[in-house]
Every structure is written in structure tokens, then in C-alpha cells.
Amino acid sequence: MKTKQFHRRVWAMVLLLALIITSMGATLYDLQINHGEEYLERTQWKIAETQTVEAARGNLYDRNGQVLVSNRVIYQVSLDTGQMGATPEARNDTILALIRCARAEGVEWNDSLPISKTESFAFTTDTPYWFADEDDDGNPIKSLTRLGKLAVRMGWVDDPTREPEEKPKSAPAPEPGLLDRIKGFLRGGQENTPAKTPEPKPLLDARPLLGKMCASFSIAGEGAVDRKQAAAGEEIPELNIGNLSPQDARAVAGILYELYLRSQEIYMATEYVFASDVDIDFISRVKEQNLAGVVVEATTVRQYHTQYAAHLLGRVTPIYAEEVEYYTNLDLDGDGVGDYKMNDSVGRGGAEQAFESYLRGTPGVKAVERNTKGKIVSETWQSEPKPGSSVMLTLDIGLQAYVENLFASAMPQRQELGAEGAACVVLDVDTAEVLAAASYPTFDLANYGAELEEKGSDPLTPFVNRAFQGAYPPGSTFKMVTAIAGLEEPDIITPTTLIRDEGRYTYYTPDGPMCWYYRQYGGKHGLINVSKAIEVSCNYFFFEVGRLLGIERLDDYAARFGLGEPTGIELEERTGVMASPEYTESHGQTWYDGNTLSVAIGQESSQFTPLQLANYIATLVNGGTRHAAHLLKEVKSSDFTQVVLDYEPEVLGTIDIQPKNLDAVKAGMLALTTSGSVRAAFQGLPFQVGAKTGTAQTGGTSDNANSVFVCFAPYDDPEIAVAMVVEHGESGGDLSQMCADVLSYYFSAKGTREEIPVENTLIR
């Protein structure tokens, strides 16, 4: 009985062990055979790294919903040297393989090393190491180029910008003693001599410098020069690259030059991107090579849907090296943490810069795990990127295009007669919205790099926004300020006051200034009131009114109209200058009472921008309310489901203008276009226009005066104000036809202009 019980227990134990062994075997088989590769790969994972993912930038639209600037997805290739292998040789092999892929597909890669890419190697710039510069006090100094900084830091050359130190004269060496003579005898009869100061390393030509670079970077096959030898300054062959071809060595050196600039903190504006906007054929070839540390990733670049408004839209660029500290500490959302990383992009000029806080999205963060070969095996979003907002501008791109095309067709002929640049601003009278702001000559934003190289030294400065940054004497367009001041101030003039034009104004001196009509034709305007004085632009009338007012009151009214004052525009602008005794004396000149006469007719030192002139006319004809000029109309979320900001017009100041006084001034401006000197340009329009011409003498390459023209329309219910300037265009009246064309286009297109509906927007 006991024996049977024992055997049963033994078999139970055997069966249990068999089950355990079978279970373990099945588990091991599953681990090793079925999932072996998967678990092997998992064992090779590294610690997850955190990556910041760029957010899509918001789009720019015109006032009618027309897309002006959007994003285009491209693929770029960058390098992660930490994943390229443990040795410089492995890294270089990967880089060379990538270069050969690019050559096979005809892809250009980024290489700024100033050494030609083919033999015989030579510098591609006249200043490879240093260039002349000035310090803060204007003293001439020498500054290192990027290549120079790296060459000095790597020990390839001595600093060529550092002046050699003058060695102090040393006392004569004492006669060697007996012990010194014995030591000299033991060394072979040589007595002690002072150690020679090593000669400074000379600047190298391109080929030997490339040799030193190759040695330092371990760019070589068999028989490579030891890097310690190169660092120690020992003599090495010019270009010892083993079994590599010279072109391959130069290509690899160019990429490592870019990487070393960044690793040595010489050029930290952005991370190095090998190639941008690459096609699928190149991507496929790179993927087939399975190159460790070569990263192909999608990114976005700005796409321009218009060739116009280049001065208004702006660009997007990486953060420049000198701006890194500012941007990385910039806290836009108030959370106490800088919102930018060193490699971020920012708006540069125009609306891109002015509305950066709206256009810039919120970057996302993801955790990435890689295996030992650098391949990504896991990605987890910690926070997804949020695209930037959509910014609606006040700009009417159709009107903007019309004005720019008008300049493009009319200015070349005028330039043959001495004219230079031009500008035109069209404002909404009631809100000071910028409907158009054209500057001539202009450039193409989509090809900015090529344009900068071609036009950067153009004396006509096409990259300057003349509409906001060009300051010009207003000439007779200023006379409405003098008129309003004289009408509004007590005991100066009324709408019916008559002043006799005597030709020459002799109040201060017998040879005083003349009215233009007397100077050119010997005629006089006779007894005229303020309306007629504006129509015929009688200088004598305004000399008298200006003298009675005095410079202080003239300056006060000019400031109320915003002349010589900031307009409030979001873009960079010049504030201009309103002539005054203080300004004249600040330039070492003497102010005389007679200077007020010139100020009253828009001469002297007064200089205003076309934007200021347009806003001054808008302020005048809307009854005296000066609004802040602005380019921002509305900000919506990226999907147009929410309104982030609806711009409310800002009032900068008001002028109490009596209706009868305003009517008198406007009547003079109307008479100019209906019976005055520019009536031919406006007689065919289906609405009436008020206008004023201006001509102002100025310096420059041409003897011609600047042409200035301002106008508003319709006369009975003003809607838009226009200011146009042509540098050295001679007569302001010559611009009347161009301004009439602008008005004609605006009002004829207004009825047919369609507002483009955008997604998630209610159609009215």
C-alpha cells in the first residue's frame, strides 16, 4: 500500500516537472524564436531624447481674404553627428556617402567654406581670414571672418588681426660661468644660448590650409597624417588625403567646416542643414544607404502668393547669432520661460515681424527613442504643436498691384529725365487703414537671396520702404495746414479775407521771397481769398498768413495733423521733421523770423513721409480726427473658428475745425481739379476729387525738385486719401494723371471686388 502511494507521488512529481519544463521551453521558444528580433531591438534602445517640433506659421491675408503668404511643406536633410559612429573616420565615411548621393541626384548642399570646390584649390573671397571694420568709436580695426576664427581656434594659423607685441629690450647676457662651460662641453662644445622664440605661423594659401583641415578632421585614407602632428604645427604635406580624391576631401571638409563652426560656437545662428527642399528621388537614395545620423525630416517654408507688397509683408529667417540671447529670453506668454529656441525662425521686417506674436505657433514636444544605429524606434507626443493664427491685413492686394504696376510702367521714362524713386500711400479716411503702400523700385520676396545679391548695391535702394521710411519736403501740399491754422486762430484770416499778391514779399527785406507765378511769369494773383490761394498755390498769400501765425502756432497745427509725428503704423517708419527754431539751431544754424515764410509753404527743413502726408489729408477731410495708421485688420485662429483680435481704430488726436473753414479749404482743393491746372487728369472721372500739388527743391543726384501730390475722393463724402511722391520728378502736377488712375481703379474695382470666403467663416 505504501509502495503504490510512493509511486503515485513520484509520477505526480515527474508530471509536474514535465509541465514546468514544457511551459518554460514554450516561453523560451516564443521569446527567442518568435519575438527574438523584437526584444533584441528593445534591449538596444537608448534613453529617450526630447525633441521640439516646429509649429506651422500662420498665414497672411489681405482685407478681402486673398492669401498673400502661406506655408509650403518641404523635406530637408540634416546631420546628427552623435549618431554617425564612434570615430571620426566613421563619421567622414557617412558624410562622403551622403555627398555621393547628392551628386548622383544633382542636389546642391550647403557649403560656405571659401575655398573652390575643384582643383587647383583657391580662396573664393578676397578676405578669407579677416576684414577691415570699425570699433564703437569709429577707429579702424581688423575683424576675423568665420574661417579666420575657426583657423585660429584650431591652431592652423596665428591670429592675423592681433598686432605683434613689441619685445622689451633685454640686458646683455652675462658671460657664461665655469659650470655653464662644463655643461656646454658635455653637450658637444655648445655653450648655453637663449631659447629662440618660435616664429608665428604664417597665413596659409587655400591648398595648404585645406591640407591642415583634412588632417585635423581625419579626412584621409591610408597614410593619413596624424592629427597631433598637425595640431603641434609640424610641417605636413599640402594635401595628404590618402586614397580620397581631392574633390571628395574638399567636399567632406566643407561640411565639417559648417559643423565645426557651430560646435566651436563661432556661428550659432542655426543648426546645419545639409540640403533643403529635396525631392523624393534623393530621399529614396539616402534611405537605401541607411546612413546613420542622416536625418530626413519635413519642415515648412513661406510660400508667397503675390509678387507685390514686398516691403509690407516681410520675410522669415533663422534667429541671427547676435539675437540669440534676446530671443531665448523673450517671454511672450508671461510664464517666466523664454519662448524661443536658438534654432527657431522669426519674422524679419514687414508684417512678418510686426505680427510675430500672432503668426508664431506654439511648438510641440515629443519623446524619441533610438536604437544603437540611430534609427528611431519609438515616438511619443508630450504636447502637439499648435499652428499660428491667421492675420488679416488692411491691404487691398488688387489696389497694391495696380499702383506698383503703374510705377513700373511710368517710372523708367521719368528716370531718363532725372527722377529716381517713388512712393504712394492710399488710406481709408475714416479709419486710417492702409489700403496700399507702394515703393519703387521694389524687389521679389520669393527670390530674396538672389535679389539681394543683384540689387544690394543699387543706388536707388530698392529694399527701402519709401512709403513709410522716405522723408520728403512737402512743398505746397503743406499749405492746407497753414490755411486751417490761419482760419481757426482768432484775428488771422476768415474764408472771405482777401490778401493782395504783390509778387515779391517785402515785409522783412526788399529782396524777399517771390511767389512762383511772379518768379516764372512776372505775373501776380491780385486780391485772393484762401480758397483761391489753395487753387493757384499762391506763395504770397501763405507768406502773409504764416508771418501772422508765427512758427510756434504753425508747428502746433502741423503736429496735430501728425506731420513730424509717429503715425502709429506697426511697421518701421521715420517720424520725419517739422521745421522749427530748435531743429535749425540743433544743426548749428541760426533761425530768423523770415524762415517762417518758407515753413508756411512747405519748404525750409520740413520733411514728411508719404504715409504722414496721406494721414494728414485723411485727418483734414474727415473733420479733424487723426487715427493711428495701421496694417492689421483682424486676427483669427488657424481654422477660422475664433476671432483672436478685431482691431479697433485708435484716435491719436483731434482738431476742432469749424465746418465753414473746412469747406473753404476743401473748395480750393476741388477747384484745382475742376478748373485748375490739373483739371485734364480728373475731368473724366464719375466723381469729384479734391487735390493739391507740391514741388520742393532738394539735393540729390538730380537737379529736379521732388514731385508731391495729395488728393481725396469722393469730394462730397471722402472715402480714401492718396499721397504720392516721385523723387526729383520736377512738378507735383505731373503726378495728377497717375493719382487719377489710382482713384479710378479703386472705385471701379470696388463694385466688382469679391470677398473670398474662407473655411469656417459665415458667408454674408
Side-chain angles (χ1 to χ4, degrees):
M1 187 69 180
K2 291 183 179 180
T3 303
K4 287 183 179 181
Q5 186 178 7
F6 173 75
H7 285 294
R8 275 200 228 77
R9 290 178 179 176
V10 169
W11 282 109
M13 291 295 296
V14 170
L15 182 59
L16 179 61
L17 288 173
L19 289 173
I20 292 174
I21 293 173
T22 301
S23 176
M24 290 179 61
T27 302
L28 290 174
Y29 181 88
D30 183 64
L31 289 172
Q32 297 290 332
I33 306 301
N34 294 339
H35 299 92
E37 293 184 2
E38 176 186 347
Y39 291 120
L40 175 62
E41 196 171 16
R42 288 189 182 183
T43 62
Q44 295 175 332
W45 285 0
K46 292 188 174 181
I47 298 175
E49 62 183 53
T50 300
Q51 293 183 351
T52 300
V53 181
E54 176 185 7
R57 195 171 178 85
N59 294 346
L60 288 171
Y61 300 83
D62 87 333
R63 66 186 299 109
N64 302 307
Q66 180 73 45
V67 181
L68 303 178
V69 185
S70 64
N71 299 305
R72 179 169 62 91
V73 177
I74 65 169
Y75 288 93
Q76 67 182 22
V77 179
S78 57
L79 305 179
D80 183 353
T81 54
Q83 303 293 332
M84 285 186 171
T87 65
E89 289 76 15
R91 173 202 64 193
N92 296 346
D93 289 343
T94 299
I95 291 174
L96 182 57
L98 180 61
I99 290 171
R100 288 171 176 166
C101 289
R103 287 173 177 165
E105 296 296 336
V107 172
E108 294 288 334
W109 63 88
N110 297 318
D111 181 347
S112 66
L113 177 63
I115 296 177
S116 59
K117 298 179 181 179
T118 57
E119 292 192 284
S120 63
F121 299 109
F123 288 121
T124 57
T125 175
D126 294 333
T127 56
Y129 291 105
W130 62 274
F131 58 93
D133 202 351
E134 291 184 352
D135 60 17
D136 295 338
D137 298 325
N139 301 316
I141 58 174
K142 297 177 181 178
S143 297
L144 289 170
T145 63
R146 292 177 190 167
L147 175 59
K149 292 177 181 178
L150 185 61
V152 169
R153 191 164 298 182
M154 299 295 290
W156 301 330
V157 298
D158 285 337
D159 190 344
T161 64
R162 182 173 299 171
E163 297 296 335
E165 297 181 2
E166 187 175 346
K167 297 179 181 178
K169 295 181 180 180
S170 56
E175 289 293 327
L178 178 60
L179 183 59
D180 293 326
R181 293 176 183 272
I182 292 173
K183 290 181 179 179
F185 176 77
L186 294 175
R187 285 195 300 266
Q190 298 177 352
E191 298 180 357
N192 272 348
T193 56
K196 292 184 178 180
T197 303
E199 292 293 327
K201 286 171 276 189
L203 296 181
L204 300 176
D205 288 334
R207 188 177 182 86
L209 174 63
L210 184 57
K212 289 214 174 216
M213 293 179 70
C214 290
S216 291
F217 297 157
S218 296
I219 304 174
E222 297 178 1
V225 175
D226 191 283
R227 282 186 297 161
K228 293 181 179 179
Q229 178 186 2
E234 298 179 18
E235 192 65 28
I236 62 173
E238 283 190 353
L239 195 59
N240 190 327
I241 54 175
N243 56 8
L244 290 183
S245 71
Q247 285 74 19
D248 284 348
R250 161 62 185 84
V252 176
I255 294 175
L256 289 174
Y257 167 73
E258 297 283 357
L259 295 172
Y260 269 71
L261 285 177
R262 292 158 175 80
S263 66
Q264 295 292 319
E265 298 185 352
I266 294 172
Y267 179 61
M268 298 297 292
T270 181
E271 63 180 352
Y272 175 63
V273 175
F274 176 80
S276 296
D277 203 2
V278 295
D279 59 25
I280 191 63
D281 292 335
F282 177 68
I283 295 173
S284 299
R285 186 179 289 268
V286 171
K287 291 291 187 181
E288 289 173 0
Q289 295 286 326
N290 196 26
L291 302 176
V294 176
V295 181
V296 180
E297 56 190 352
T299 187
T300 58
V301 294
R302 292 307 248 176
Q303 181 174 12
Y304 300 96
H305 298 266
T306 177
Q307 59 180 321
Y308 304 104
H311 296 96
L312 304 179
L313 297 179
R315 304 173 294 120
V316 175
T317 73
I319 295 174
Y320 297 151
E322 60 272 17
E323 302 171 328
V324 168
E325 183 177 358
Y326 167 77
Y327 276 107
T328 52
N329 292 321
L330 187 61
D331 182 13
L332 296 175
D333 53 16
D335 62 357
V337 180
D339 294 326
Y340 288 86
K341 306 299 181 184
M342 185 180 65
N343 295 322
D344 284 349
S345 295
V346 295
R348 190 77 59 188
E352 293 280 15
Q353 180 173 337
F355 311 126
E356 168 74 13
S357 59
Y358 299 117
L359 293 168
R360 179 181 182 271
T362 303
V365 178
K366 67 177 178 180
V368 176
E369 291 182 321
R370 302 175 185 270
N371 60 19
T372 53
K373 296 181 179 180
K375 183 179 179 181
I376 296 176
V377 294
S378 174
E379 291 183 341
T380 304
W381 284 105
Q382 295 181 357
S383 62
E384 294 190 9
K386 297 179 181 178
S389 299
S390 299
V391 173
M392 317 288 290
L393 303 180
T394 62
L395 198 65
D396 181 335
I397 196 60
L399 179 63
Q400 177 76 22
Y402 183 85
V403 178
E404 290 192 28
N405 288 333
L406 188 65
F407 279 151
S409 61
M411 285 303 296
Q413 183 178 358
R414 292 173 180 268
Q415 287 174 325
E416 294 177 1
L417 302 176
E420 295 180 358
C424 177
V425 174
V426 183
L427 286 187
D428 185 292
V429 163
D430 294 322
T431 62
E433 293 179 348
V434 177
L435 304 177
S439 181
Y440 179 89
T442 185
F443 59 96
D444 184 5
L445 268 175
N447 299 296
Y448 182 81
E451 292 277 279
L452 184 61
E453 184 176 349
E454 178 184 350
K455 301 178 180 179
S457 58
D458 189 334
L460 295 183
T461 59
F463 297 98
V464 174
N465 182 3
R466 286 170 163 81
F468 297 169
Q469 298 172 351
Y472 308 96
S476 294
T477 61
F478 183 82
K479 289 176 179 175
M480 285 83 76
V481 175
T482 306
I484 290 295
L487 290 165
E488 290 296 326
E489 290 297 308
D491 303 324
I492 305 295
I493 60 170
T494 68
T496 59
T497 299
L498 299 177
I499 296 176
R500 182 178 299 277
D501 175 11
E502 299 290 351
R504 183 184 291 274
Y505 193 79
T506 58
Y507 182 88
Y508 291 109
T509 61
D511 59 344
M514 295 179 285
C515 181
W516 69 271
Y517 191 54
Y518 182 76
R519 184 178 63 251
Q520 292 185 16
Y521 304 109
K524 303 175 184 178
H525 291 115
L527 276 173
I528 55 175
N529 62 15
V530 66
S531 298
K532 190 65 176 179
I534 291 174
E535 177 193 349
V536 300
S537 199
C538 179
N539 288 349
Y540 192 100
F541 185 96
F542 291 100
F543 287 155
E544 177 68 4
V545 175
R547 180 188 66 81
L548 294 173
L549 282 167
I551 189 61
E552 289 186 2
R553 287 193 283 192
L554 273 177
D555 282 351
D556 177 49
Y557 274 86
R560 294 194 207 179
F561 278 109
L563 297 175
E565 302 290 327
T567 67
I569 193 69
E570 301 94 340
L571 277 58
E572 182 180 354
E573 68 168 334
R574 287 180 65 179
T575 55
V577 174
M578 178 58 199
S580 66
E582 293 77 16
Y583 181 82
T584 297
E585 291 166 3
S586 70
H587 285 70
Q589 299 175 350
T590 303
W591 176 270
Y592 301 98
D593 289 341
N595 290 38
T596 305
L597 306 182
S598 296
V599 176
I601 63 169
Q603 303 288 347
E604 194 55 36
S605 54
S606 296
Q607 290 190 340
F608 311 128
T609 66
L611 177 61
Q612 288 175 327
L613 292 174
N615 205 13
Y616 142 54
I617 298 302
T619 303
L620 172 69
V621 300
N622 72 20
T625 302
R626 180 164 70 96
H627 292 98
H630 61 282
L631 195 61
L632 179 64
K633 186 172 182 65
E634 192 177 28
V635 180
K636 295 184 178 181
S637 59
S638 60
D639 59 1
F640 283 85
T641 58
Q642 296 179 340
V643 175
V644 178
L645 174 71
D646 190 1
Y647 184 90
E648 292 291 336
E650 178 185 359
V651 177
L652 298 180
T654 58
I655 309 171
D656 293 327
I657 305 176
Q658 298 179 61
K660 64 177 182 178
N661 294 336
L662 179 58
D663 289 343
V665 171
K666 289 174 59 180
M669 299 177 72
L670 174 64
L672 179 66
T673 64
T674 55
S675 59
S677 60
V678 299
R679 62 185 179 278
F682 295 93
Q683 62 185 0
L685 297 180
F687 49 84
Q688 290 185 317
V689 179
K692 187 70 189 80
T693 61
T695 304
Q697 296 295 329
T698 182
T701 59
S702 171
D703 294 331
N704 294 346
N706 283 344
S707 305
V708 187
F709 196 89
V710 296
C711 61
F712 66 92
Y715 177 78
D716 294 328
D717 186 14
E719 186 172 327
I720 63 171
V722 181
M724 185 178 292
V725 176
V726 172
E727 297 170 357
H728 310 299
E730 191 55 36
S731 170
D734 294 341
L735 306 186
S736 58
Q737 187 59 60
M738 296 173 67
C739 285
D741 291 342
V742 171
L743 294 175
S744 177
Y745 172 84
Y746 175 80
F747 286 104
S748 63
K750 181 181 177 182
T752 59
R753 189 178 297 118
E754 294 184 2
E755 182 174 340
I756 300 175
V758 290
E759 185 179 358
N760 294 322
T761 300
L762 181 64
I763 300 177
R764 295 185 294 273

